[in-house]
Amino acid sequence: MKEKEKIGILQFGCAKNLVDLELMLGLLVKNGYKYSLNPYEDDIKTVIINTCSFILDAEKESVKAILQMIEQGKRIILTGCLVQKHQEELKKLLPEIKNYIGTCDYDKIIQAIENKNYYCVSKNPEYCYREDIKREQITVGASSYIKIAEGCYYNCGYCVIPSLRGKYKSRSIENIVQEAKELANKGVSEIILIAQDTTSYGLDLYKKPMLAELIKQLNEIENIDWIRIMYSYPTNFNDELIDAIATLDKVVKYIDIPLQHSNKEVLARMKRPAVDYRELIAKIRKKIKNVAIRTTFIVGYPGETEEEFLDLYNFVKEMKFDKVGIFTYSREKNTYAYDLKPQIRSNIKKKRKSELMKLQKEISLNINKQYIGKNIRCIIEEIHSDGKIIARSYKDAPEIDGLVYIESKEYLTPTDIVNVKIKKCSCYDLFGVV
């Protein structure tokens, strides 16, 4: 039997996009294909490029990689959000590419590989997680993501996700628990729950929010040490969920809750809940001991006045969040905000982002100083040949938050969870000894 070709891989975008790619790779392996994360290898003729299209900068990154692969003479199979969003434009601008797979059509990847011309991009995307596919993980380490749902109920004014991913669709608790057990058997210590909005989990399938019940069942898995929840939309962040996070021993006391703004008028224009989030933040901090809260904000949304930005600045100053991500508004076609006026000038958006980042840097440093002399639980990520050990505390999510650099005379391995005494800090990172 003729040996099947090795496929090159290029991955862009968020952790949710990564899970889609790993499902595609599971299909490749099941069908006898090998793959490489280095698409520049001479023996690789075909490359899968899994693209992102959340904001303009992400699109530019994907397009740059596409053009590089075309220059290399590779046959390209284009998948993901950029395809779903710009399918017609891409076909016109890139006649070299003959194979396209949409966001909800990843299970057709083998057909795309085995046909010179294959186009499958659902006009009305409806995501379905293929439970019969075994994910081929390309991330190696202590942690692994589990996608608990796809799509979104909301239509935030700036966001293209509902048009790219369809309506909200939850996986069953049984399937998620089974996947978590399989990851635990592979040696994963931390599972990270992701979706466009994790707090809406179960609304479609069980007719009520079920994230609290899900983490209760995941907490029973013997070989899992940490459970982390990401992308928690504030609307369904109810008392049951807060109590579950507070009491379940394996659920890290870390809340990722994207608020996007503080000003009610801006939130209304964003088509987000126009509420004062102070009460929710206060309740979370009161009920969950030593909780770390991460959030994200958008500056420069259409119509944002100096007074509205000052409202946000003072909110961040008052709330003293542990982690904050700040984005400048990116104008996206086919969104409500695209035609809103006035659009804020780029230099003003950058200035506002810079001001908030400077404020948060000071807040972060002051928070980190409070850990000096204290012990904090950390998960070992990397051990280098020179003896340098890199870890992450419970208050730090992979890739987006800080790190803990530690010294140890003990023998440690990645995935170990240890107590680290903090000796010093920087604005975002900690330094200590086991």
Side-chain angles (χ1 to χ4, degrees):
M1 183 182 292
K2 183 180 177 182
E3 186 176 345
K4 293 185 176 180
E5 66 173 314
K6 183 164 63 171
I7 308 297
I9 304 298
L10 276 175
Q11 161 65 19
F12 296 95
C14 63
K16 299 177 286 289
N17 218 29
L18 172 65
V19 171
D20 292 345
L21 176 70
E22 291 178 340
L23 288 166
M24 285 190 270
L25 295 181
L27 278 169
L28 261 64
V29 171
K30 183 179 179 180
N31 284 272
Y33 288 93
K34 296 179 181 178
Y35 65 89
S36 171
L37 301 181
N38 178 10
Y40 295 96
E41 292 176 14
D42 291 337
D43 60 336
I44 288 177
K45 307 301 180 187
T46 301
V47 178
I48 296 171
I49 304 180
N50 196 35
T51 61
C52 179
S53 190
F54 182 58
I55 57 175
L56 184 58
D57 285 346
E59 291 186 357
K60 288 179 178 178
E61 189 180 17
S62 293
V63 169
K64 182 179 178 181
I66 292 166
L67 296 176
Q68 286 178 342
M69 289 297 102
I70 290 175
E71 287 179 8
Q72 293 278 325
K74 306 288 187 181
R75 173 186 174 232
I76 297 170
I77 298 173
L78 214 54
T79 67
C81 293
L82 191 69
V83 175
Q84 194 71 45
K85 185 178 178 183
H86 296 297
Q87 48 193 285
E88 297 304 323
E89 295 97 318
L90 289 169
K91 285 196 294 184
K92 291 175 183 176
L93 294 172
L94 300 170
E96 300 91 341
I97 301 178
K98 308 295 184 184
N99 298 77
Y100 294 87
I101 297 291
T103 54
C104 299
D105 310 293
Y106 66 88
D107 56 344
K108 307 296 193 304
I109 191 64
I110 300 302
Q111 291 92 317
I113 293 172
E114 296 179 350
N115 290 276
K116 290 183 178 179
N117 294 277
Y118 190 83
Y119 183 86
C120 186
V121 183
S122 299
K123 288 186 177 181
N124 297 305
E126 186 175 342
Y127 191 92
C128 181
Y129 193 101
R130 284 282 301 272
E131 303 291 351
D132 59 323
I133 300 173
K134 185 169 286 189
R135 273 170 62 193
E136 183 73 13
Q137 286 180 269
I138 59 173
T139 53
V140 179
S143 308
S144 186
Y145 298 100
I146 296 182
K147 186 188 285 195
I148 64 173
E150 184 55 277
C152 192
Y153 282 127
Y154 304 101
N155 285 287
C156 299
Y158 50 82
C159 187
V160 296
I161 294 299
S163 64
L164 301 181
R165 296 280 177 170
K167 294 180 180 179
Y168 200 91
K169 200 164 188 178
S170 303
R171 298 173 62 193
S172 72
I173 289 178
E174 293 77 14
N175 286 333
I176 296 168
V177 170
Q178 180 59 37
E179 183 174 6
K181 288 178 179 178
E182 291 170 2
L183 292 171
N185 291 335
K186 291 179 180 179
V188 170
S189 292
E190 176 188 31
I191 56 170
I192 304 170
L193 307 184
I194 56 173
Q196 305 300 337
D197 160 26
T198 50
T199 47
S200 287
Y201 172 75
L203 278 173
D204 58 320
L205 200 58
Y206 303 106
K207 309 308 176 189
K208 63 178 182 177
M210 288 287 281
L211 183 57
E213 177 60 29
L214 172 63
I215 60 176
K216 287 175 186 175
Q217 294 198 29
L218 291 171
N219 200 70
E220 298 299 318
I221 299 175
E222 185 175 349
N223 295 327
I224 291 295
D225 296 306
W226 280 4
I227 301 165
R228 187 180 300 274
I229 305 167
M230 303 295 292
Y231 309 111
S232 308
Y233 197 91
T235 302
N236 290 306
F237 215 108
N238 56 30
D239 289 346
E240 184 185 9
L241 178 59
I242 293 173
D243 291 340
I245 294 171
T247 56
L248 295 172
D249 62 319
K250 294 182 181 181
V251 179
V252 294
K253 311 318 173 192
Y254 173 98
I255 306 296
D256 173 43
I257 185 165
L259 301 178
Q260 309 305 16
H261 215 281
S262 62
N263 184 269
K264 291 183 180 180
E265 285 72 24
V266 177
L267 287 167
R269 294 199 300 273
M270 285 181 168
K271 294 188 174 292
R272 306 261 306 177
V275 299
D276 187 336
Y277 289 120
R278 288 172 176 82
E279 184 179 340
L280 174 60
I281 299 304
K283 184 188 291 185
I284 289 170
R285 284 175 166 161
K286 181 180 179 181
K287 290 193 171 186
I288 305 175
K289 186 180 178 182
N290 297 323
V291 67
I293 301 179
R294 155 176 265 280
T295 189
T296 54
F297 296 111
I298 297 171
V299 295
Y301 190 76
E304 184 188 56
T305 64
E306 284 294 337
E307 291 76 16
E308 289 168 343
F309 170 70
L310 184 60
D311 183 286
L312 175 60
Y313 185 93
N314 289 331
F315 178 72
V316 173
K317 189 175 183 179
E318 176 190 349
M319 290 292 100
K320 293 181 172 55
F321 295 103
D322 296 78
K323 316 285 179 180
V324 173
I326 301 163
F327 299 90
T328 56
Y329 166 72
S330 177
R331 194 180 185 195
E332 301 294 327
K333 288 184 177 179
N334 301 317
T335 62
Y336 168 78
Y338 185 81
D339 294 318
L340 284 183
K341 295 178 181 178
Q343 295 285 327
I344 308 301
R345 295 201 311 270
S346 177
N347 63 322
I348 294 177
K349 289 191 283 188
K350 290 177 181 177
K351 178 176 177 288
R352 290 175 181 176
K353 177 180 178 179
S354 178
E355 289 178 15
L356 266 187
M357 288 296 294
K358 183 180 179 181
L359 171 63
Q360 181 57 32
K361 192 175 182 180
E362 294 172 3
I363 293 170
S364 180
L365 179 60
N366 289 331
I367 289 173
N368 278 352
K369 284 179 178 178
Q370 296 173 17
Y371 288 98
I372 295 175
K374 296 179 180 178
N375 287 320
I376 188 169
R377 296 285 282 169
C378 297
I379 190 167
I380 306 300
E381 291 271 31
E382 302 174 24
I383 299 177
H384 294 259
S385 57
D386 61 1
K388 183 169 66 175
I389 303 172
I390 300 176
R392 224 179 352 97
S393 77
Y394 78 90
K395 68 187 190 71
D396 296 295
E399 300 177 0
I400 58 173
D401 292 330
L403 296 170
V404 183
Y405 296 89
I406 62 178
E407 299 172 10
S408 175
K409 293 181 180 179
E410 298 178 26
Y411 177 75
L412 297 173
T413 59
T415 74
D416 284 348
I417 295 178
V418 295
N419 281 320
V420 177
K421 188 170 186 178
I422 303 304
K423 297 292 189 180
K424 61 180 181 177
C425 71
S426 66
C427 292
Y428 303 115
D429 299 323
L430 300 173
F431 303 81
V433 296
V434 174

